[in-house]
Amino acid sequence: MDELTLTLIKLGFLAVLWLFVLSAVSVIRSDIFGARVETPRGAKNGAAAKPAKPPKPRRRPRGEPTSLIVTDGPNAGQVVSLEVQPILMGRGSDAALRLDDDYVSTRHARIATNGEQWFVEDLGSTNGTYLGSQRVTSPTPIAVGTPVRLGKTVVELRK
Amino acid sequence: MSAASPRAGAEDPRLVPRKRRGAELWLLLLATVVGVGAYIAVGLGFDGEIPTDTPRLAGGIVGMALIAHVAIRRLAPYADPVLLPIVVALNGLGLAMIHRIDLSLEADGSPVGPFAGNQLIWTALGVASFIAVLLVVRDHRRLQAFTYTFGFLALVLLLLPLIPGLGVNILGAQIWIRVGPFSFQPGEVAKICLVVFFAGYLVVKRDALALAGRRFLGIDLPRGRDLGPILVAWLLSLGVLVFQRDLGSSLLFFGLFLVMLYVATERPGWLVVGGLLFAAGAYFSFLTFSHVQARVDGWLDPFSNSEEYYQIIQAMYGMAYGGLLGRGLGQGDPSMTPFSYSDFILTSLGEELGLAGIMAILMMYALLVERGLRTALVCRDAFGKLIATGLAVSFALQVFVVAGGVTRLIPLTGLTTPFMSQGGSSMVANWAIAALLLRISDQTRRPAPEVRPLEADDATQVVKMR
């Protein structure tokens, strides 16, 4: 056995050792990140809950709102993008902004735009939707930063 | 450690149940390549030729791995895929290293050894105990019914070596028993019993231990009357230390109880109390026992007495000689360190595989512990969580105490390196622990019984008149 062969054996064995460790890590990795298997149930849910994406949202001019943020209430801090609209807010599982607020109805209100302005529309909720102290009875235009109150929750549009 | 809602499994994409037995088989193949490859490399490095009995040995290792694999397929099909291969790889590496030290000892005409043959038999017995545990324990929750039985068993096992005539004193430690030609270290099995006992006890008592207490300096300290169990554990550890002169086990038991107590109650206060108790116990035993003083001296300044601390000095030279890539299997002199095949097997591996190899081995242990803790995280019942935590932490503590001791990070205490160091009882007990972890992870990763979640529309909404 000459020196070179022995060195190669030594390095080869270390390589095998680390190959084993890295394979184990990759199995663990796929356990954590790769386990999302499309089950038939999941696939059906996905198709039903996700409406067809709109062709490609046109570029909005600057100053237009891009997201809806919950500023107060049990879901404070939650953000939804305004890409897909109208945005349904409520306790129901089909709501785009799902609120865990007992005072919010299943389908409480929605926010939509006509291309120029954003409107909030109450959907016959039990406890009403308020802009300040004013109860929303018909689609009402809202601006960026206007607090909209539903039950205990307050949401507003953000740039 | 509140359990997730029962239907979390159905909604969480990470928990889609997958068996992954194929991945396990592939890793097992690699693991046997590690073991058999180490054996061949030892032969090539030591004698310059491939050992003639390689096919026999390879057959044995692959056979055992396959038997364990088939047992998992039949008995625990959803179990974690990484645990068994890691155990097999560590075991194979340990076997090869022990065989390698045998060769040196034989060449030197040493009176001890050979160990590898016996170790192979013990490995087979370990696999047998692995399968037996999988067969007998079909659901780990059943073990909770035997909480106090296990506690009693642990106590008996710990006391066995003290019985005159049965216990044997080897190198100052009274931790072995000898029945006929076999010697056994009951403390290794007591470890498992203690984990089950602690888990069963803490599941019932954790609310009392967690919720009552005083706040002091921003830490919730437990009530005086709740200190009972931790004091008992402390006294037990001290008892092991005093009567059996076994530093390692004493440290292991106390650390295990402390960690499980902390996990069960989520109270850092227990860690403070436990840490103080540990410091007090450690200082007391330092003052009282000469062998503890010797360990501390050997840790702080081994070169002060190169006769007495010969072992640790040799180990350090060995590792230094090994350097980054090691001297190559079969080409170093690990056998110059006394007990290089058991307590000091990590430094033997460090000498011949170098830092790169020892890091890979520590990585395997880390993955083993990680899989155990992950099982505990995902486990749905608190008892299983605590057992898995306890078993994983026992591996972690053991490896830390051994690796820390032989590398002079902490004072040297005798504990076995799981799955590697020569010794039958530890081998059998650790395979049983692996089986228990696999059983819990099987229970955990198995698909949850289908529960249809309530539709949000069905729920009544709360109406408040303003």
Side-chain angles (χ1 to χ4, degrees), chain A residues 36-49:
Chain A
R36 193 185 289 273
V37 186
E38 277 303 317
T39 55
R41 196 178 124 265
K44 199 182 74 213
N45 269 2

Side-chain angles (χ1 to χ4, degrees), chain A residues 10 18 30-31 91 106 126, chain B residues 20 30 326 356 445 457 461-462:
Chain A
K10 179 173 97 180
W18 276 102
S30 69
D31 234 36
R91 283 197 307 132
T106 312
T126 312
Chain B
R20 310 231 60 199
L30 264 178
R445 294 159 58 99
D457 297 344
Q461 62 208 37
V462 181

Side-chain angles (χ1 to χ4, degrees), chain A residues 62-76:
Chain A
R62 289 178 73 86
E64 284 280 289
T66 56
S67 62
L68 181 67
I69 182 167
V70 182
T71 53
D72 198 7
N75 293 67

